[in-house]
Each structure stands twice: as structure tokens, then as C-alpha cells.
Amino acid sequence: MPIRTVLAVFTATTVLVITGLWVGNNVNLLPPGASSNASTYDELFKVLFSIGTVLFLGIVVLLIYSMIRFRRRSGDMSDGLAIEGNLPLEIVWTAIPAVVVLFVGLYSYDIYERMGGMATLNDHMAMDHGAMQQVSVKEGDTAGRVWGGIGVSGMEAAPGGPVLPVEVTAMQFAFIFHYPGSDITTGELHVPTGQQIELHMEARDVIHAFWVPQFRLKQDIIPGQPTVLSFTATRAGTYPIICAELCGPYHGGMRSNVVVQEPEAYDNWLQQNTPNSTNT
Amino acid sequence: MTLASPSDFEDNLQPQGWLRYFSFSLDHKVIGLQYLICGFIFYLVGGALAGIIRTELWSPMSDFVSRETYNETLTLHGTIMIFLWIVPVVNGAFGNYLIPFYVGARDMAFPRLNAVAFWLIPPAGILLISSYFIAGAAAQSGWTAYPPLSLTTPAAGQVVWILSVLLLGGSSIFGGINFIATILKLRRPGLKLMMLPLYCWAMLGTSVLVVLSTPVLAGTLILLSFDIIAHTGFFNPTMGGNVVVYQHLFWFYSHPAVYIMVLPAFGLVSEILPIHARKPLFGYTTMVYSIMAIVFLGLIVWAHHMFTSGTPPWMRLFFTIATSFIAVPTGIKFFNWLATLWGGKIALNSAMLFSCAFIVNFVFGGITGVALAQVPFDIHVHDTYFVVGHFHYIVYGGTVFVIFGSLYHWYPKFTGRLLNEDLGRLHFLLTFVGFNLCFAPQHWLGLNGMPRRVAEYDPAFTTLNQLSSVGALLMAISTLPLLINVVVTAINGKKAGDNPWNALTPEWLTSSPPPVENWHGEAPLVTEPYGYGQHLEAKA
Ligand code: HEM
Ligand SMILES: [Cu+2]
Ligand SMILES: [Cu+2]
């Protein structure tokens, strides 16, 4: 290959990679994060966005370059070169996506583990060796039948103290939150910063989904199959809770808020709202 | 065997002229065009429904149609576009028209089954659409029809929907069997599998997917209809049924279905590019093997649609890995297409513009697809407008662009006349700009908090939604030059001659339009359908 071609390819690739990295790191497409999960997510997003930009731009530039450079001049009725393939080249471009995909897969596994996604795996495996069916029948409640979610129990508690459980009931077209510790029932979720929250979710009628974009978390709420979702909020503020699964005519209106408060403000709220009888 | 002249055959067949297209014709070419025209009419209906959706989303309030109507509209839009436009056209229309030529046959293996397969479609489509006009009756649970929602929305509409999808699935299975039999059994003597044009391989792979996965959908929907009509409890949680099982069964068909929609498009592009770039298809063998790999992987990735459905971590991981690996065979195909163009003599006509734009759009959708395959990424954007953006880049930017490109490419074969290039470029420009304007902003909307299937949204998202709606309007306008072009050129378009593109694939080696039984004499033996460059003398 002539040295000029090598240089041109090298320069083009470098420019491309730098552009991709720049775009991935500087173009922000996400809303501000508000959970410990979000920063991990945003890291993954940057990496995927960078790789995606490099691949997309590379292919589009190559395509447009070919369309211009190899366009048919008027009157030219001849054919192009009779090249039917090139095994080494084809191996190279089998390898490119394979390597990219392998890297992306391993990296996103790492991210998933850091989000606490693998916690249930250990749980689950342990139960598989026991009698899983019995567990699900006996305990009736959530354990053993709970699938999915992320960061499910089994993780050690976040520094903010013990895990705070909240029961979530979804129905057409509202979310209801119940705090078992203080017997508060509310339509708006209040949580303190820095403490791990564990939502135990059940649906009354059809499938709904709990989604807070600023937390980068979503979990379906499934009738007949309780699910758990856990997170730690990091930034005070009010964020939307959005139902993300088509659940009927008012699905688009099925929204609520999660109010994230500093621990003191949250304690105040707790005090004011705890029913007197159960106030301890 | 000696053959009579084509006119002798025509005398034996049923109605002549345009009336043929309304008859139970057994001619694969007539059936192919029946699929195409019928599909295009449904495309216009589905497009009108998309217009309703984008009008409703012009403002953040639910203020254009009622909420129930909105859900009916999005359900019918998805169902029509998938089952009545893309699948029938990219498989039925081009498959029926081209496959017998490619294998050197005079018709499909089972012409009667073929006609039955087509004639199931118009009644199924009319049935589906008519339910829209009975107030509060059309299905409202999306094209996915997840229970328990599909068990609690108005029953009549849901049952009509099921019936219609079952008919369409049946049609699809009949077609699939026919393609497999034709490709494997009807090849003219001397024609080996590895000599076939790539579209045959794409259709073989697609048909295998159709035959393996459609029956699963049919079984699932039959159980769902029992739940609705007979109050059984297969998917009813209050009776011990399991709603997640439905999702597994549904996606066991519906993920392969996305390949049923796109593999044939890959095949069509593989025919168009070499002809207009005057070069052999690069890497024929790896192209064939990558189709097989996609078919295999396509069958084991379905649960990537269910990452938030309460799937255990091992399942999430397995499906992440399997899904990501589809990018490998898919990537090979794209690099091979680029290599086909490299060093060619590329004619930048409408067929090519649409095909090249397909590459751009599909690469974009493929990249967001690999991102979506990563569980931690998907948990945020699942069931949002990001996913809506992703699959429209694939299904519209990919398959529909290829259908348009194919129309410009094969129209001279169908009619003997060329479509007008100026109108074609206008059509391309409007479609490309409108499409990107409509669907690119949706990725941002999804990332920032707009769920899919909603009639109302956060007012902060108004501007981008309006941009998207303007794009949709451009897309609607873009069909006008296409329609004018097709109608006007059919009457007084430029005569194309038999082989306007100087192509080597078999369908161009007979007259345009072809005689009833395809060939004037014996079918030619085409051993190198992509032999551009080295066979200059042979064409002269
Ligand atoms: C590189 C290849 C692809 C990958 C890795 C991929 C991955 C995915 C994933 C993970 C989802 C689920 C997203 C979610 O709901 O959260 C999805 C959705 C979807 N994809 Fe793809 N995809 C690819 C190509 C395709 C193709 C070829 C088609 C169709 C021709 C397609 C059509 C769809 C559709 C229709 C949906 C949404 C289904 C629904 O929920 O209604 N995708 N894709
Ligand atoms: Cu909802
Ligand atoms: Cu899929």
C-alpha cells in the first residue's frame, strides 16, 4: 500500500476517534442525574455514545466518499473492477464488530454489577439449590417470587443507614406509596438522600411501570408477580415518576412525583405525616 | 420441451389486462404486484393513522382525539404497518415476483396456495380497519396486546384484532412454505445453491423464521382469545395465569419478525447495489453465512424486549450477549456493501439514493440497537420514545427505504417503463429529510423522560414533538411525487427496453414486462449473477 494512503487512513481514523470521544464527552443528552445509579449510567452512556459516533461517522463518511469519488461520469458505460471479495479484509471487518461488541458487553456487565444488578443473581442461585417452589408458596409475600429490579436486597446497606422499604401499589391510573415503618400512605413518594430505598411493588389491575428518568431506573409493576426496585437518591429535588407501560386510556396521565429531601427535611415530613396512633 | 408463445398462455388464463389484478390469478407476477399494490394501500391507511398520532402530539395535552381513540390509533397503526405493509410487501410482493426468475422457474412451487395466501390479506385488513369505525371497539392494547390490558379493554375489538392477525399469520406461513419449496426444489438444472442471487438466500432465511416462529404467535393469540371469550385464565393473574409468559411467547415470534421485515430488504439491496455500481457483490459467501447466522441468533434474543419485565439477572445477561452478537453478522453485511461500492461506477439514480440512505439509516438504528441490548442502558430507555426512534430507523429507514429503492429499480421490469428520475429525486429528498426530522428528535425525548404510547406529555417536550410532527408532514407530502410518478409514467413514461440497467440477474434476461410463463424459451442458466467487470463481452 502506498505510504500516502496509509497516512491518509491513519489521519482519518485519528480525527474520527477524537471527534467521537469529544462528542461522547461533551454532548449531553441526558437529564441531570439524582441517584447513585445515575452517575454509573452516564458513564456507560458516554462510552456507548463515543463508540457509536465513531462507527456511525466512519461508515457515513466512507459511504459519501465512495458515492462522490466513484460516481459514474456521463457517457461512461463501462463496469467497475471485478473484485468479488477479499478474505483478509472480510476477516478484519468480522473482527471489528466482534471486538467492539465484546468490549461493550464486558463493560456493560461491569456497569450492571456496580449498579447492584447482580445482587439477585446470588440470591437466586442460593434459592435454586434449596426448594425454590416451596419458598415461593410458603413465604407468600415477596421473597422467592420477586424477580428483577436492580440492586435488590442482599446488597449491604448504603452508608445512610438501614434500608428503607416502601410499598408501591400501582393501579389504573395512580401510584400509592405506603411506608410500613410509620404507616404513612401517600400519592407522592418522599425519600431522604443517601439512604437506600427499596420499593416493593405490586399492581392491582394491569401492568404498569415505575420510571424516574433522573434515577435512570425503570421496573415493570406486574399483577400477580411482585417486583423490587432499589436505589439511593443523591440530590434533593422533585422528579417525575412516570408510568412507562401502556395501561389504558389515561396511561399518559399516570404520573406522580418523587420528592428527594435532605435527611432532616425528610424526618420533618415523616413526623408531620405519621398518623398519631402509630407515632412512636 | 418447446414452449408456445406467451399469447397462447394468456388466452388460457382468466381475465386480461388490469382485471387480472382483481382475480384469483395463479401467475406469481400478478400475485407479486397484487401484494405490492394492496400493501401500498394499507401503507397509506397506516400513514393516515400516523398523521392522527403526530397531530395529537403537536400539543402536550390530549386534545385532538379521545384517549381511547388515541390508543386504538396507535394499535392499528403498528399492526397495519407491520402485518399489512412491510411483511407482505418485502416478502410477498418482491418474493413472489422475483424468486421464480431467480431459480429459473415458470412459477412458484404451489401457485394455488400462493393465491390463497394473498387473498387472505385484503379481508383480514378490511376486518381490522372496520373495527376502528365501531365506536370504542377497536383494539387498544398496542400491537403487542399484553395481557391483562388486552383482557380488560373492549373485547370485540381485541378479538377482531386477534382474528385478523391470525389470518395474516396464516398467509405468512403459506408464503414461507412456498418460498422454501420453490428455492430448494424448483431450481432449473445446473443451478447450484451458491449461484443464487442473494435475495434468494435472504428469503430462504426469512421463510425459515416465518415457519418456525409464526405458529408460536398463533398459539399464543388463540390462548389469549380463550381468555377473552371463554374466560379461561392462561394469562389472567387473578386466575393464576402468568402475564410474563405471554411476553415470552409473543417476543419469540416478534423478535424474529423484525428480521422477517429486514432480511428480505438486505437481500433486495444486495441486488440493487452491484447493478448500479457495476461491480460484483463483495463477499458473496460471507453474505450467505451471515444471513444464516442472523437467522440463528434471531431466534435466541427475544427477551431483550423484556429487560424490565421481571427477568432474573442470568436471563438479562444471556439475552444481552446474544443480542449484541447479532451486530457481528450484520456488520459484515454493511462492510461488504461498502466494499461493493468502492471502486465502482456508481449511478446516483433514485434506486441508488434510497439504497445508500438505507445504509445510513440502518447503521444508526443498529447502533442504538446494540446500546438497547445492554441491560443497564435499556432499563432507562425501555418503553420510551428512544425505542420508538430506534425501531423506526430500522423499519422505516431500513426496510421502507429499500422498498422505495426497489420500486424505482424494478418498475421497468413490472411495466416496461422507467419512473421519472426528477420526481424520484424529489421523492427521495422529501422522504430523507422528513424521516430524519421526524425520528431523530425522538431519541432525545426518550432519554429525557417521554414514555411511548402517550397522548399527553410534559410541556417541556413541546418543541421537539412539533419538530417531529413537521417531519411527519414532510413524509406525508413525499408520497405525492411518488404517486404522481407511478400513475403518470405507467401511461406515458419513457420506454425502458428489456434490460435498462444492463443487469445480469435472471429477471432481466427476458422481456419487460415478462411473458406469462416468464421465459420465451428455456430459462437461462445464470451461474454468475454478479459477474460485472469480467463479462463485458457476454452482455454485448
Ligand atoms: C443490530 C441489530 C439490532 C439490535 C441489537 C436491536 C435491539 C433491540 C432492543 C434491545 C430492543 C428493545 C428495546 C426496548 O423495548 O427496550 C429493540 C426494539 C425494537 N427493535 Fe431492534 N434491534 C436491532 C435491529 C432491529 C431490526 C432489524 C428491526 C426491524 C426490522 C428492529 C425492530 C425493533 C422493534 C420494532 C422494536 C420495538 C418493539 C416494541 O416494543 O414494540 N430492530 N431492538
Ligand atoms: Cu401506564
Ligand atoms: Cu428484538
Side-chain angles (χ1 to χ4, degrees), chain B residues 193-263:
Chain B
L193 279 174
M194 289 306 271
M195 296 173 180
L196 290 173
L198 210 79
Y199 181 63
C200 291
W201 283 104
M203 283 306 296
L204 192 60
T206 306
S207 303
V208 168
L209 285 178
V210 165
V211 171
L212 288 180
S213 64
T214 318
V216 176
L217 177 73
T220 314
L221 293 185
I222 288 170
L223 293 185
L224 187 67
S225 70
F226 288 167
D227 277 7
I228 297 173
I229 300 167
H231 303 287
T232 51
F234 296 105
F235 305 124
N236 189 340
T238 59
M239 299 170 74
N242 188 321
V243 295
V244 178
V245 169
Y246 173 89
Q247 299 180 10
H248 279 292
L249 294 168
F250 178 83
W251 290 111
F252 187 84
Y253 164 78
S254 292
H255 181 82
V258 309
Y259 288 98
I260 293 168
M261 292 188 267
V262 88
L263 274 179

Side-chain angles (χ1 to χ4, degrees), chain A residues 70 72 90 108 112 147 218, chain B residues 286 310 316 346 374 380 382:
Chain A
F70 303 114
R72 188 186 302 172
E90 288 167 54
S108 75
Y112 186 54
W147 281 356
K218 182 183 294 111
Chain B
T286 44
R316 285 173 156 181
I346 304 170
Q374 314 306 315
H380 174 49
H382 170 66

